[in-house]
Amino acid sequence: MAVGIFDSGLGGLTVWDAVNQRMPDLPVVYLADSAHAPYGVRTADDIYELTCSAVQRLFDAGCNLVVLACNTASAAALRRMQESWVPADRRVLGVFVPLIEALTERQWGDNSPPREVAVRHVALFATPATVASRAFQRELAFRAIGVDVEAQSCGGVVDAIEDGDMILAEALVRSHVDALKRKMPDPDAAILGCTHYPLMQDYFQSALGEDVRVFSQASLVADSLADYLDRHPDMLGSGAASFLTTGDPARVSDRATQFLRRQITFQAA
């Protein structure tokens, strides 16, 4: 019955945790490509090749459905994968869809023309590769008009989180928010466009101010996945739950346990 969740590192554990809370009986195979993290500074072709390799590993583990719990992979690789690589009997989903559904308050299958939505000024915090792809702006433009998106590339934040240096991560978050606000002083909403960033959500909220609505993806993705599986139960695979990493299992397990404040044990992928 397993569903696959892939991330370049540990940020996708925020999605795994939300999925586990939403569907505690759903077995999940989580794969962290820790040996090649972070993806946010890599080229689009490199990200595509690494993502295909990781997703194939999850297919081989018995997952018919894989969620890319990595905004960088979703932005730089997902569309290309869906068009030319994913087998007809498998599915790969990204993390942008639930986020844009929430932001625009319309379902993904709603193909009516773009219309005005409640928010007008949106701050997007993401990795350099996600910002460069403009994937979020492209998908948003299909569904909403009149929304000004200001993107801030948050270099260093993922590395600091993966290294467990939360003091540095907090300092970097505040620096990136300051840089964003020099370009967009009064955003209505903020998108945490990397699944590592919910670990720093309180710091983003504090730096942005309490009047800014912060959209974080984990719970949105979990709800969307539950709805998808209700509609497509055939996408449940045959694998058993596990945590896999291309990095050092002991080190990754230690970091994961710190993140989620519960014991998480990774095995070599």
Side-chain angles (χ1 to χ4, degrees):
M1 287 175 55
V3 166
I5 294 180
F6 165 69
D7 187 56
S8 60
L10 297 178
L13 287 173
T14 59
V15 173
W16 174 86
D17 191 42
V19 169
N20 183 250
Q21 292 183 43
R22 181 73 168 74
M23 296 173 285
D25 295 328
L26 176 69
V28 172
V29 181
Y30 182 95
L31 173 58
D33 189 15
S34 309
H36 301 106
Y39 278 19
V41 296
R42 293 182 175 274
T43 67
D45 283 346
D46 200 11
I47 294 165
Y48 175 77
E49 295 296 336
L50 289 170
T51 304
C52 287
S53 177
V55 171
Q56 185 61 57
R57 175 68 179 82
L58 289 167
F59 287 163
D60 293 343
C63 301
N64 292 337
L65 169 66
V66 175
V67 177
L68 301 186
C70 174
N71 285 266
T72 300
S74 294
L78 178 59
R79 183 180 292 270
R80 183 176 169 188
M81 292 174 67
Q82 291 174 331
E83 290 175 349
S84 62
W85 183 81
V86 179
D89 60 341
R90 306 291 175 93
R91 294 291 182 274
V92 180
L93 306 177
V95 287
F96 281 152
V97 170
L99 186 61
I100 292 176
E101 285 181 335
L103 189 67
T104 62
E105 298 182 346
R106 61 188 292 187
Q107 295 297 307
W108 199 252
D110 179 354
N111 293 317
S112 60
R115 58 176 180 261
E116 291 188 352
V117 295
V119 296
R120 308 290 291 181
H121 304 286
V122 176
L124 170 65
F125 297 96
T127 66
T130 297
V131 170
S133 75
R134 294 189 60 81
F136 176 81
Q137 291 92 322
R138 181 179 64 246
E139 298 294 349
L140 180 63
F142 289 138
R143 288 156 185 83
I145 58 175
V147 181
D148 179 22
V149 178
E150 188 65 58
Q152 176 63 35
S153 176
C154 297
V157 175
V158 170
D159 295 283
I161 292 173
E162 289 279 332
D163 289 340
D165 191 343
M166 306 310 278
I167 295 175
L168 174 59
E170 178 186 355
L172 288 169
V173 164
R174 296 191 181 280
S175 175
H176 291 309
V177 171
D178 287 344
L180 181 285
K181 293 181 79 171
R182 287 195 291 271
K183 297 178 288 185
M184 179 182 279
D186 298 303
D188 304 314
I191 305 299
L192 302 188
C194 173
T195 47
H196 284 75
Y197 296 173
L199 296 166
M200 309 302 295
Q201 183 167 346
D202 289 346
Y203 299 115
F204 275 103
Q205 187 74 71
S206 174
L208 287 161
E210 61 182 19
D211 293 335
V212 178
R213 183 179 179 187
V214 176
F215 286 83
S216 187
Q217 293 169 307
S219 60
L220 296 174
V221 172
D223 289 343
S224 180
L225 177 60
D227 177 67
Y228 185 90
L229 289 174
D230 282 343
R231 292 182 287 111
H232 302 280
D234 55 306
M235 283 294 103
L236 287 169
S238 59
S242 60
F243 293 91
L244 305 173
T245 179
T246 58
D248 175 14
R251 181 180 183 278
V252 175
S253 297
D254 286 344
R255 291 284 184 248
T257 299
Q258 289 177 4
F259 284 175
L260 295 184
R261 296 182 174 86
R262 71 177 97 166
Q263 184 64 46
I264 303 292
T265 302
F266 276 79
Q267 301 170 337

